[in-house]
Amino acid sequence: MNTLHTITVIINGQSYEREVEPRLLLSDFIRHEIGLTGTHVGCEHGVCGACTILFDDEPVRSCIMFAVQANGHTIMTIEGLTPDASEENLHPLQASFREAHGLQCGFCTGGFLMTLLPFLQENPNPSEQDIREAISGNICRCTGYQHIVDAVKIAAAKMEGQ
Amino acid sequence: MKPPPFEYFAPTTLDDALDYMADYGDEAKPLAGGQSLIPTMNFRLAQPEVLVDLNGLAELAYIRPAAGGGVSIGAMTRQRSVERSPLVAEQAPLIHETMPYIAHPQIRNRGTFGGNLAHTDPASELPAVATALNARFRAQSRSGQRWLTADEFFVDLFTTALEPEELLVEIVIPPLPAQTGYAFREISRRHGDYALVGVAATVTLDNNGRCEAARLVYLSVGDKPVEAVQATAALIGQKLTAEAIDDAAEIAAAQDIDPPGDIHASVTYRRHLAKVLAKQVLAKATARAKQE
Ligand SMILES: Cc1cc2nc3c(=O)[nH]c(=O)nc-3n(C[C@H](O)[C@H](O)[C@H](O)COP(=O)(O)OP(=O)(O)OC[C@H]3O[C@@H](n4cnc5c(N)ncnc54)[C@H](O)[C@@H]3O)c2cc1C
Ligand code: FES
Ligand code: FES
């Protein structure tokens, strides 16, 4: 029990090698071992979506995966959207959320953005129905979702122009 | 909300995985997508001493034509891959239509086809659909393999016929017979939530346009998939008019099922949904059978 496993993971383009207990959740690994606290933890059983990351380019819940399972895989977290963390270089999705007031407390936002990034890449012209379905696995307690949907529409327009 | 400690193995071949299952038996649990197992471990409702991670078994992730027609799906195929597979859409259109009802894209990216069936949640869509389609399940252990029908495979609430050392390795969906239509519907509070009631139907017509065979299988109304046998018996040999379908739906909701009541839906409401949904799926399956 508790045998440590050595894992190598690429997160936001950088390679990390760490020793982990098998029971360490991937969300806790990202937050506590790597220090990337933009990945939030709301429910820890897969229902809220706050901990969504890209795992080999697909959005998944990091709270219902073990860190040891990420060995040899590639991850992108919310911090990867604007690598230099500068306001001028905000990703169009981030800029649209700011424009449309798509966030209030911001706790859910990282999870929404990591869900929406691949969604918009696959669906450059989503309908409102498509958008609502795409975010059905992410819970926001503040906005009532309308401004999030508005933000996604703006983002789709911005990203198409790119 | 943190899982208890466990020993972790990540085999890269099925043989190695089966060895671990045989060596650790009752203490071990296979880890597929983890989308049901890890939440229950986080809650400490499950405390397996050993996890055998199946995610390295590329040999169990495939979708291919089955020998006698239909489609064979490896247990470790992601739900998302099944949803997107043109072969599944063509050979098992009812499965294709049902996949988007399962949870959310983030869950389907990780959750597996086999893990969903092995979990046997009574609110899960796939066990009911697999039952309606006469799916066959291949179980394997170090000492050999066996095939099970859906009726044999789904035993009870969260319980399959798998032995502790056995793995579900493959699911075969046979082709639909000629002049057969199909449909699936469910009602849930939000898109992606577990259904309050759901139902899958297949209808086969004979050359005179009468019902030759029909299946109507519910989820979320019992401990495992519940087949409405009295309702479908009443349809055999009938012209599937709106009245005949209404009568069958009434029998299904009133006699075939004994749904639970809870904070999400009362018994009366579940019966009501069961009837409305049965009408819809039988009508749609019939219309599709006529087009065949
Ligand atoms: C928020 C949320 C919403 C969801 N909504 C739905 C929904 O609407 N409908 C639905 O159907 N599901 C839903 N799910 C569950 C999801 O579909 C799971 O992916 C699925 O139930 C389990 O598949 P898995 O591959 O993740 O298996 P795991 O969680 O890894 O395993 C589940 C169980 O099956 C066993 N097992 C797995 N694979 C095998 C195998 N090959 N042989 C033997 N035993 C095996 C495991 O030991 C474990 O006991 C939801 C999950 C979440 C977190
Ligand atoms: S914290 Fe992972 S889904 Fe809620
Ligand atoms: S902005 Fe507060 S939870 Fe979404």
Side-chain angles (χ1 to χ4, degrees), chain A residues 21-22 24-25 33 65 72 75 96 109 113 125 137 144-145 149 158:
Chain A
E21 246 189 283
L24 182 67
L25 296 174
E33 295 288 325
M65 276 189 68
I75 287 172
S96 310
T109 313
L113 298 185
N125 289 304
Y145 303 100
V149 173
K158 279 191 202 215

Side-chain angles (χ1 to χ4, degrees), chain A residues 1-3 5 22-23 25 28 43-45 58-59 61 63-66 68-69 115 122 136-138, chain B residues 1-3 5-8 31 35 38-39 42-44 49 53 55 84 104 106-107 109-110 191:
Chain A
M1 288 268 174
N2 285 344
T3 325
H5 294 249
R23 67 173 176 150
L25 296 174
D28 288 340
C43 67
E44 280 191 334
H45 65 283
E58 301 269 24
R61 318 288 216 205
C63 74
I64 46 177
M65 276 189 68
F66 296 114
V68 61
Q69 297 187 285
T115 300
E122 268 177 50
S136 68
N138 292 74
Chain B
M1 294 300 291
K2 305 293 174 197
F6 54 86
E7 197 78 61
Y8 173 82
L31 172 63
Q35 305 298 287
I38 300 179
N42 286 357
F43 280 121
R44 303 209 171 189
E49 281 173 42
D53 190 343
N55 285 280
R84 290 174 164 168
H104 313 286
Q106 298 103 319
I107 309 280
N109 279 334
R110 191 76 195 151
H191 182 91

Side-chain angles (χ1 to χ4, degrees), chain A residues 40-51 61-63:
Chain A
H40 289 173
V41 169
C43 67
E44 280 191 334
H45 65 283
V47 302
C48 78
C51 67
R61 318 288 216 205
S62 59
C63 74

Side-chain angles (χ1 to χ4, degrees), chain B residues 183-270:
Chain B
F184 178 83
R185 277 276 287 153
E186 73 173 35
I187 297 288
S188 58
R189 293 296 299 269
R190 288 183 314 163
H191 182 91
D193 281 3
Y194 282 103
L196 300 174
V197 176
V199 65
T202 63
V203 169
T204 306
L205 298 178
D206 65 17
N207 290 333
N208 301 317
R210 292 178 187 273
C211 178
E212 185 175 294
R215 306 288 298 273
L216 191 63
V217 187
Y218 283 99
L219 53 121
S220 289
V221 302
D223 290 341
K224 55 177 190 162
V226 177
E227 180 151 15
V229 282
Q230 300 179 70
T232 44
L235 290 172
I236 307 295
Q238 304 281 321
K239 283 262 184 216
L240 296 181
T241 58
E243 295 77 59
I245 286 175
D246 262 18
D247 291 347
E250 176 65 38
I251 296 173
Q255 296 171 33
D256 279 317
I257 62 169
D258 184 12
D262 51 37
I263 52 165
H264 307 293
S266 64
V267 174
T268 316
Y269 182 50
R270 278 212 167 82

Side-chain angles (χ1 to χ4, degrees), chain A residues 5-131:
Chain A
H5 294 249
T6 304
I7 62 169
T8 308
V9 193
I10 294 176
I11 305 181
N12 302 331
Q14 197 179 326
S15 179
Y16 298 89
E17 191 182 296
R18 290 287 190 282
E19 289 208 316
V20 296
E21 246 189 283
R23 67 173 176 150
L24 182 67
L25 296 174
L26 182 54
S27 44
D28 288 340
F29 173 78
I30 290 169
R31 290 173 56 80
H32 304 152
E33 295 288 325
I34 308 300
L36 295 172
T37 52
T39 298
H40 289 173
V41 169
C43 67
E44 280 191 334
H45 65 283
V47 302
C48 78
C51 67
T52 304
I53 57 163
L54 299 190
F55 187 81
D56 295 337
D57 300 326
E58 301 269 24
V60 300
R61 318 288 216 205
S62 59
C63 74
I64 46 177
M65 276 189 68
F66 296 114
V68 61
Q69 297 187 285
N71 187 28
H73 291 272
T74 302
I75 287 172
M76 179 176 162
T77 67
I78 183 67
E79 287 88 350
L81 263 189
T82 316
D84 66 356
S86 74
E87 219 174 294
E88 305 81 69
N89 293 333
L90 282 183
H91 188 276
L93 251 176
Q94 293 171 306
S96 310
F97 265 65
R98 187 167 69 173
E99 247 173 87
H101 299 287
L103 65 152
Q104 288 176 31
C105 78
F107 193 83
C108 67
T109 313
F112 271 90
L113 298 185
M114 297 322 279
T115 300
L116 287 164
L117 183 68
F119 169 73
L120 285 178
Q121 282 160 356
E122 268 177 50
N123 307 275
N125 289 304
S127 67
E128 169 144 358
Q129 178 65 25
D130 295 338
I131 296 171

